[in-house]
Amino acid sequence: RAKKAGRNNIQMYQKEMNDELTHQINTEQELRAAISGHQFDIYYQPQIDLENQHIVGLEALLRWRHPKRGVLAPHEFISVAEQTGLLPALGEWIFYNACLQCRAIQAMSRSHVQVAINISARQLHHPQMVETLKRVIAEIRVNPAFLNLEIGEQVLVNNPAEAAEILGGLKEIGVNITIDSFGSGLSSLSNLARLPVDAVKIDRALTRNVPGDDYDAAILETLLSIASRMHMRVIVEGIERTEQETFFRNHNVRYVQGHLYSLPMPSDQLPEFFNALKQGVLNPEGGQIGLP
Ligand code: C2E
Ligand code: MG
Ligand code: MG
């Protein structure tokens, strides 16, 4: 009996593997078609300064408008894009469009609203990455000071010497650098001081359960004090409830992002969004947010 159950398990496992593989192959073919077929869009989510409720940034979040499956979030396709070598092409598409939209955002906001672009650790180590970004910035003539690259905290673990060199190259271009999802691995704090980093963004897994979870609160307080000692800006993500906002206010956190203020919105809604901000008619649950 046990033997039979074992065999069934193996068969089930193989079926799952096959399904996974087929899914991956489908996605790869579809991804290639999607890049040339304009199926991608960038959504933007506001980043808020709690001192004055001003919007200080917009995070660019990739979406795939899949013809059959609807709007897909990155976890459904980014790793396939990485494994199949399509990420550099997709990454360049993101740079190009986020830089174009960044320029438009400067014009619409008439202020220093930064655009945050996510870069995976793997993407960072791609040999052409820095040159590509530099070329795109020059071509579009966007001010690099308005760009903020969010790089996953694995960058602190994998090959920090090479990472330091690449990040140094990026700082030379003039962009800002944020360590994203900070605190999700917690294995690499000692490398933080070795990299040219402007800010850390605290992972949602840690911000989700405060106030209330004293263990998470203890870890957060430690991370906040490390960031402060290293003179790094802190931004907290995943704020959904006012109690969370109050907790971080009380811990002197200034920059926040989350559904409490705004969901990510499609790029074509940005003009309307900035109009609403200018007229002061935008009134989300998180209170009136406005332009600097
Ligand atoms: P991330 O950079 O940590 O982005 C934050 C994620 O949390 C986003 O998910 C965002 O929609 C979501 N989020 C924001 N506020 C809240 C909230 O209050 N509550 C909850 N439950 N979620 C919130 P999304 O857009 O699915 O992106 C997931 C991850 O995919 C991102 O994590 C980022 O690592 C990656 N990603 C997104 N766009 C790109 C891209 O253009 N390139 C690369 N390489 N990675 C990307
Ligand atoms: Mg991010
Ligand atoms: Mg994050």
Side-chain angles (χ1 to χ4, degrees):
R1 237 183 125 179
K3 220 173 184 174
K4 190 161 177 223
R7 190 162 341 114
N8 281 344
N9 279 344
I10 290 173
Q11 279 170 355
M12 237 155 70
Y13 180 66
Q14 282 176 337
K15 183 173 179 318
E16 268 170 31
M17 294 257 296
N18 282 338
D19 287 352
E20 176 61 28
L21 202 65
T22 323
H23 172 66
Q24 184 153 325
I25 291 166
N26 283 340
T27 312
E28 178 180 351
Q29 283 165 351
E30 289 171 351
L31 264 175
R32 288 184 193 279
I35 296 176
S36 49
H38 310 289
Q39 290 173 18
F40 287 102
D41 190 15
I42 300 176
Y43 279 45
Y44 287 92
Q45 185 180 36
Q47 304 178 320
I48 312 291
D49 181 346
L50 282 179
E51 256 174 33
N52 45 29
Q53 299 288 110
H54 289 166
I55 167 169
V56 288
L58 287 163
E59 179 175 17
L61 296 163
L62 187 62
R63 293 293 180 268
W64 178 1
R65 258 186 271 99
H66 192 283
K68 293 195 198 104
R69 293 162 65 201
V71 178
L72 302 183
H75 72 267
E76 311 210 50
F77 59 87
I78 282 276
S79 69
V80 179
E82 272 188 340
Q83 286 157 28
T84 53
L86 291 172
L87 202 59
L90 188 53
E92 182 166 350
W93 184 91
I94 297 163
F95 285 161
Y96 193 87
N97 287 280
C99 285
L100 264 183
Q101 282 155 2
C102 180
R103 216 182 50 186
I105 286 165
Q106 301 319 317
M108 288 187 286
S109 70
R110 287 195 232 102
S111 67
H112 293 200
V113 176
Q114 288 186 357
V115 167
I117 303 177
N118 288 287
I119 294 188
S120 71
R122 181 116 161 227
Q123 220 180 334
L124 185 78
H125 288 276
H126 188 268
Q128 249 74 68
M129 211 281 301
V130 179
E131 279 313 304
T132 304
L133 181 63
K134 201 170 163 178
R135 173 167 51 72
V136 170
I137 287 174
E139 204 173 306
I140 294 180
R141 298 162 146 272
V142 64
N143 183 343
F146 293 150
L147 296 174
N148 185 2
L149 303 187
E150 295 193 0
I151 302 162
E153 74 158 11
Q154 311 90 288
V155 72
L156 303 173
V157 188
N158 316 336
N159 203 345
E162 190 179 300
E165 205 177 301
I166 300 169
L167 295 193
L170 290 171
K171 289 305 298 178
E172 259 170 50
I173 299 180
V175 299
N176 303 284
I177 296 172
T178 296
I179 298 292
D180 201 351
S181 304
F182 188 58
S184 60
L186 283 181
S187 52
S188 45
L189 284 175
S190 60
N191 286 327
L192 189 59
R194 296 174 52 191
L195 299 182
V197 164
D198 304 294
V200 293
K201 187 191 251 191
I202 310 268
D203 193 50
R204 189 165 67 85
L206 279 173
T207 64
R208 183 159 53 199
N209 299 323
V210 291
D213 187 319
D214 291 343
Y215 295 110
D216 284 354
I219 295 170
L220 279 168
E221 280 158 15
T222 308
L223 292 182
L224 293 175
S225 95
I226 290 168
S228 146
R229 287 279 294 270
M230 292 191 180
H231 307 290
M232 285 173 191
R233 250 192 203 230
V234 172
I235 174 162
V236 161
E237 69 179 1
I239 303 277
E240 295 177 351
R241 293 167 283 112
T242 45
E243 307 87 74
Q244 276 170 298
E245 183 191 288
T246 307
F247 175 92
F248 287 106
R249 262 186 203 283
N250 292 339
H251 285 81
N252 299 316
V253 167
R254 189 166 165 188
Y255 301 103
V256 291
Q257 184 179 347
H259 293 170
L260 181 62
Y261 312 98
S262 172
L263 292 173
M265 64 194 124
S267 54
D268 62 8
Q269 279 178 20
L270 286 173
E272 206 182 313
F273 172 75
F274 279 105
N275 263 334
L277 282 182
K278 273 178 205 155
Q279 288 161 24
V281 293
L282 207 73
N283 199 4
E285 276 177 74
Q288 183 73 44
I289 61 177
L291 284 166

